[in-house]
């Protein structure tokens, strides 16, 4: 068993690539969008898209090693940790020392940001589930529209637009005018009302042939 933690720069680069994939790019930057990355990375049932934040996911992967030590897994690596550092002590009460190796300090840092219950709740079928641990770290309330949005019968592109509409984050002119100088905020179709997401969808429903 080996421990590998990604440098922050690498994690940030991975997150940036994911954002570029989701929103597209203009030059070296992601195209204009309103939802934050934190919002996008929420579970779908919590109103997000289900992407994973790099730092939190890396922590979830590292937590597996903390679980292995806590569970005293039958591996040479765990036996070595117990022999050199713990020496019979519980990993949750072990005092952090300055003369330990860098990777053990990493595990102790994860220990300080979680608890034994969270680690044990991430166990499934006798194995540690990083996905389950990651999901347990997300604190948010479920949204009522998630099942309606993430319907398998809806075209993926339409799902994403629907998700943005439910969060009032479409690139309509009322929003764009807060960041850009526009000649007009009126709807380009009817030219009677300000283009908002409610007006846009009302117009789509009411236009001839769109019922």
């Amino acid at each position: 068993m080996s421990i590998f933690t990604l440098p922050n720069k690498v994690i940030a680069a991975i997150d940036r690539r994911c954002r570029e994939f989701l929103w597209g790019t203009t030059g070296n930057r992601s195209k204009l969008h309103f939802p934050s990355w934190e919002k996008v990375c929420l579970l779908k049932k919590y109103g997000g898209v289900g992407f994973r934040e790099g730092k939190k996911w890396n922590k979830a992967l590292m937590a597996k090693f903390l679980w292995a030590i806590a569970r005293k897994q039958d591996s040479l690596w765990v036996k070595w940790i117990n022999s050199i550092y713990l020496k019979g002590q519980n990993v949750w009460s072990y005092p952090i020392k300055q003369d330990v190796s860098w990777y053990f300090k990493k595990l102790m840092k994860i220990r300080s940001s979680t608890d034994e219950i969270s680690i044990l709740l991430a166990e499934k079928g006798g194995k540690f589930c990083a996905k389950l641990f990651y999901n347990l770290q997300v604190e948010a309330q479920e949204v009522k529209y998630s099942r309606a949005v993430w319907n398998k019968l809806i075209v993926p592109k339409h799902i994403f637009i629907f998700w943005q509409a439910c969060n009032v984050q479409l690139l309509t002119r009322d929003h764009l005018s807060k960041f850009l100088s526009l000649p007009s905020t009126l709807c380009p179709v009817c030219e009677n009302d300000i283009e908002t997401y409610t007006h846009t969808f009302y117009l789509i429903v009411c236009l001839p042939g769109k019922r």
Side-chain angles (χ1 to χ4, degrees):
M1 183 183 289
S2 60
I3 296 178
F4 178 67
T5 178
L6 290 175
N8 289 333
K9 289 184 177 180
V10 176
I11 293 175
I14 293 174
D15 282 347
R16 184 175 65 253
R17 290 296 183 185
C18 290
R19 289 195 296 270
E20 291 174 353
F21 169 79
L22 183 63
W23 304 112
T25 58
T26 301
N28 295 323
R29 301 179 62 181
S30 296
K31 291 183 178 179
L32 181 63
H33 57 274
F34 294 120
S36 66
W37 186 236
E38 289 74 18
K39 174 69 174 179
V40 170
C41 289
L42 287 176
L43 302 179
K44 292 177 179 178
K45 65 179 180 179
Y46 294 145
V49 179
F51 276 59
R52 290 173 182 155
E53 285 189 69
K55 286 185 178 181
K56 290 181 180 179
W57 180 240
N58 196 44
K59 175 185 174 181
L61 295 175
M62 289 286 291
K64 176 182 179 180
F65 302 105
L66 187 58
W67 169 83
I69 296 173
R71 279 300 196 187
K72 297 182 179 179
Q73 291 290 294
D74 186 18
S75 70
L76 181 61
W77 178 81
V78 172
K79 290 178 180 178
W80 185 83
I81 289 293
N82 278 293
S83 175
I84 299 299
Y85 298 125
L86 300 182
K87 298 179 181 180
Q89 297 182 70
N90 188 305
V91 68
W92 299 105
S93 59
Y94 177 80
I96 302 176
K97 301 177 182 179
Q98 294 300 320
D99 59 346
V100 298
S101 58
W102 69 270
Y103 65 82
F104 196 65
K105 287 181 181 178
K106 291 287 185 182
L107 288 179
M108 293 299 96
K109 186 176 181 180
I110 292 175
R111 185 193 67 173
S112 64
S113 61
T114 186
D115 56 73
E116 185 176 7
I117 295 177
S118 296
I119 292 290
L120 297 180
L121 285 176
E123 185 178 313
K124 187 176 182 180
K127 296 182 179 181
F128 182 82
C129 180
K131 179 181 177 181
L132 184 55
F133 179 83
Y134 179 91
N135 292 344
L136 289 171
Q137 305 308 301
V138 179
E139 296 182 0
Q141 294 184 340
E142 292 191 25
V143 295
K144 296 180 179 180
Y145 60 76
S146 61
R147 290 187 178 182
V149 171
W150 302 104
N151 190 311
K152 294 181 179 180
L153 299 178
I154 305 177
V155 177
K157 182 178 180 180
H158 296 169
I159 288 177
F160 190 56
I161 295 173
F162 190 15
W163 174 78
Q164 291 181 84
C166 287
N167 286 280
V168 198
Q169 293 174 331
L170 288 171
L171 294 177
T172 47
R173 290 188 175 186
D174 62 325
H175 281 329
L176 290 173
S177 63
K178 299 175 183 177
F179 305 94
L180 303 173
S181 177
L182 302 177
S184 173
T185 58
L186 293 178
C187 172
V189 178
C190 70
E191 297 184 344
N192 291 323
D193 297 308
I194 295 176
E195 185 189 45
T196 64
Y197 91 104
T198 50
H199 174 76
T200 299
F201 280 93
Y202 175 79
L203 192 65
I204 290 174
V205 172
C206 293
L207 282 175
K210 297 294 182 178
R211 294 181 181 276

